[in-house]
Amino acid sequence: MVDPTSELEEDVDEESAPRCAACGEPALGVGRRTVTWVEDGDAVHRRFCSEACRAAWEDERPSAGT
């Protein structure tokens, strides 16, 4: 399937899609969310299949507790 949210319009199927950090389901489609931050000079990403999973995630970012 062509992911409509991808700027590159790349083909992404359920098996190759990134997994939701909260529930483990494929993070595909228009409902997906991504949280990105920089840690020790590297970009770190957590992907979610929905806003509900994003909200349920226990934020692990270093600045989350401040």
Side-chain angles (χ1 to χ4, degrees):
M1 125 179 183
V2 174
D3 185 344
T5 63
S6 171
E7 291 181 16
L8 302 175
E9 296 185 12
E10 55 198 27
D11 289 332
V12 178
D13 60 21
E14 286 193 20
E15 289 185 25
S16 63
R19 298 291 160 179
C20 176
C23 73
E25 291 295 316
L28 287 171
V30 297
R32 76 175 186 203
R33 299 289 181 261
T34 302
V35 174
T36 304
W37 68 97
V38 176
E39 188 173 300
D40 297 326
D42 294 320
V44 180
H45 309 280
R46 294 296 178 263
R47 293 175 175 88
F48 305 93
C49 63
S50 68
E51 183 60 38
C53 279
R54 164 60 183 95
W57 173 58
E58 290 188 34
D59 200 331
E60 64 195 81
R61 294 176 290 180
S63 62
T66 58

